Amino acid sequence: MIRRQIALELGTVVPIIRLRDNIQLNPSQYIIKIKGIQVTEGEIMFDHYMAMNPGYVEEEIAGIPTTEPSFGLPAIWITESQREMAESLGYTVVDPPSIIATHLTEVIRRHIAELLTRQDVSNLIDNLKESNPAVVDELTPALLGLGDIQKVLQNLLVEGISIRDLLSIFEILADKAPTTRDTDVLTEYVRQGLKSAISGKYFVPNEKTDVVTLDPKVEQEIMGSIKQTDQGAYLTLDPETIKKIMDSTEVEIKKLEDVGKMPIVVCSPIVRMYYKKLTEEYFKDLIVVSFSEIESNVELQSVGMVTLNNDN
């Protein structure tokens, strides 16, 4: 079910998931490995349920404190006999198999880009070729190799963008590949072409959405530090400037998080990719969208601006 759900959501096939017994683990412990390397772990209490307070529970219930493994939220273990009471008080109550399933799904989502192999890409291309041979023949191998296409698809998946609409992705790549082979730049073109999907993922039409924007000075600073090489472009910002931008980003996105909103930073198309790369190490799940990826029927309200001054 998890594999089917991810395939529908992101348009890519998840490898077979193998379950193994490991006597070196505690009886209540499980670990999740990708390509043989442990990426995360969790503990569950059998014959118990996990209860989480969604924020509006007025009367608390007694239980064993724990942490929900997928999102790191505070939770408590309760017994079967407390379950009904907890639900009536407004707690979200989950059983152990659902906890592991949710955790596994989140881990797969986070690592889906590195799970996409060249063979997977080759299979996707073969499927597309059956219905749309013209665009496939135009694009590969003449304009882009398998590895280049894989890199663009991985770039999209890293930021949670579905690759289900492979036809549109290939048509954009066929249009743009004659002018650039830089997979990062091609990814940005594809994102702009998938505007309605990206806009629909983060924004509700005709509704106001609170976002954080970048000060034009920050954008200029980023643009001025781009160095082009044969291997692609990179930033040459000095550590102090990076620290100022990161500190300001942290302050601004906290404003949205504190009111329970998803932190979204909106910037100009030319800066998006570089700002996203800059913030990746510090704010892994930060959503960065360019103005070209937002439909015109979306209303944005800037509640903060990332600046180079430390007094914001």
Side-chain angles (χ1 to χ4, degrees):
M1 251 172 63
I2 291 172
R3 292 173 72 226
R4 192 164 65 233
Q5 181 190 334
I6 300 267
L8 286 170
E9 190 184 306
L10 293 172
T12 176
V13 177
V14 177
I16 298 286
I17 298 165
R18 292 191 178 86
L19 299 180
R20 279 207 190 118
D21 207 357
N22 184 340
I23 53 168
Q24 292 169 316
L25 298 179
N26 299 334
S28 59
Q29 189 188 17
Y30 64 89
I31 61 175
I32 299 174
K33 291 179 174 182
I34 291 179
K35 297 178 183 172
I37 295 161
Q38 181 180 332
V39 288
T40 185
E41 61 183 314
E43 292 247 358
I44 47 173
M45 279 186 79
F46 295 102
D47 308 325
H48 280 70
Y49 291 87
M50 187 180 273
M52 284 163 289
N53 179 351
Y56 44 76
V57 170
E58 285 175 17
E59 190 187 327
E60 296 206 351
I61 202 165
I64 302 159
T66 184
T67 302
E68 187 279 331
S70 309
F71 306 101
L73 304 168
I76 52 170
W77 289 111
I78 58 169
T79 58
E80 171 78 67
S81 59
Q82 294 173 287
R83 183 182 180 177
E84 234 172 85
M85 175 70 166
E87 284 175 341
S88 66
L89 289 172
Y91 279 92
T92 305
V93 180
V94 231
D95 61 0
S98 305
I99 295 163
I100 299 176
T102 305
H103 195 184
L104 184 58
T105 307
E106 280 311 304
V107 167
I108 293 169
R109 271 204 196 102
R110 289 216 167 105
H111 294 269
I112 193 69
E114 65 196 77
L115 292 170
L116 183 77
T117 63
R118 272 178 167 70
Q119 187 56 56
D120 293 332
V121 176
S122 180
N123 296 344
L124 288 170
I125 292 172
D126 290 344
N127 289 341
L128 184 63
K129 196 166 183 170
E130 284 175 24
S131 53
N132 293 276
V135 70
V136 174
D137 292 341
E138 182 187 351
L139 180 64
T140 184
L143 295 172
L144 291 178
L146 196 59
D148 295 325
I149 296 169
Q150 178 193 21
K151 192 81 192 70
V152 171
L153 297 179
Q154 284 176 325
N155 283 347
L156 294 168
L157 290 171
V158 158
E159 294 192 52
I161 305 302
S162 173
I163 59 170
R164 268 188 85 179
D165 186 2
L166 204 58
L167 176 59
S168 294
I169 293 171
F170 269 47
E171 287 185 334
I172 297 160
L173 290 176
D175 287 342
K176 301 296 183 185
T179 55
T180 177
R181 290 284 297 269
D182 185 325
T183 49
D184 288 340
V185 174
L186 287 170
T187 304
E188 293 306 303
Y189 283 133
V190 170
R191 286 180 60 106
Q192 288 167 30
L194 299 176
K195 177 181 187 165
S196 58
I198 291 176
S199 195
K201 184 174 163 75
Y202 301 123
F203 305 102
V204 181
N206 310 312
E207 254 187 45
K208 207 172 270 181
T209 307
D210 290 346
V211 296
V212 168
T213 52
L214 295 190
D215 183 345
K217 286 199 185 83
V218 171
E219 295 205 344
Q220 278 165 0
E221 194 77 37
I222 291 172
M223 287 308 299
S225 77
I226 297 168
K227 280 279 173 289
Q228 295 288 350
T229 68
D230 295 341
Q231 279 76 45
Y234 66 94
L235 292 180
T236 57
L237 285 173
D238 62 274
E240 197 178 326
T241 306
I242 292 174
K243 188 178 181 320
K244 281 182 180 173
I245 295 172
M246 291 310 113
D247 289 349
S248 180
T249 300
E250 190 172 5
V251 169
E252 298 308 328
I253 64 176
K254 196 173 180 313
K255 289 179 187 172
L256 286 171
E257 285 173 339
D258 286 349
V259 290
K261 293 194 173 156
M262 190 163 56
I264 299 177
V265 177
V266 181
C267 58
S268 64
I270 201 157
V271 168
R272 196 208 78 84
M273 160 175 105
Y274 301 105
Y275 177 73
K276 176 63 188 166
K277 282 191 170 165
L278 201 57
T279 57
E280 225 158 26
E281 294 294 304
Y282 305 85
F283 315 102
K284 187 129 186 60
D285 299 323
L286 181 62
I287 296 156
V288 183
V289 183
S290 88
F291 289 108
S292 316
E293 299 163 358
I294 303 170
E295 294 281 20
S296 54
N297 61 359
V298 169
E299 224 182 305
L300 299 178
Q301 177 161 321
S302 175
V303 293
M305 189 183 271
V306 175
T307 67
L308 288 168
N309 313 325
N310 281 344
D311 50 304
N312 56 345

